[in-house]
Amino acid sequence: MNRINPQKLLLSKWTAANPLNREKHFLVIECQRDDEDNVVAVEIEAVLTRRTEILPWQQLQDSTQWLAGWR
């Protein structure tokens, strides 16, 4: 399990543990927040294709899916 501070997610780099369509490296480009300014979701962008995806920030804690940094 990756330990994450949700306040520091913006512009962080991630590697997909099981890449699809050669999309391995991702960058957090936006953090979505609720009314109390808590991070609820992040928008990640694939470096290779520029495709974006929105997912709950807690999903990045799953080390079977995501690795912190680019590897």
Side-chain angles (χ1 to χ4, degrees):
M1 176 172 281
N2 298 317
R3 294 190 60 196
I4 300 174
N5 179 348
Q7 303 303 322
K8 296 183 178 183
L9 280 173
L10 188 61
L11 301 179
S12 62
K13 300 172 182 176
W14 295 89
T15 300
N18 303 310
L20 299 173
N21 301 325
R22 296 180 24 209
E23 295 176 336
K24 183 175 180 178
H25 297 118
F26 292 83
L27 185 67
V28 175
I29 58 170
E30 183 181 351
C31 293
Q32 297 179 351
R33 300 176 180 271
D34 63 9
D35 294 337
E36 298 171 357
D37 205 33
N38 296 319
V39 177
V40 293
V42 293
E43 184 174 3
I44 60 172
E45 179 181 69
V47 174
L48 182 66
T49 62
R50 302 285 189 229
R51 183 183 65 84
T52 63
E53 182 178 344
I54 296 174
L55 50 99
W57 74 265
Q58 293 89 345
Q59 191 172 341
L60 294 174
Q61 291 180 310
D62 185 358
S63 57
T64 62
Q65 293 183 3
W66 296 101
L67 304 170
W70 289 347
R71 300 178 187 198

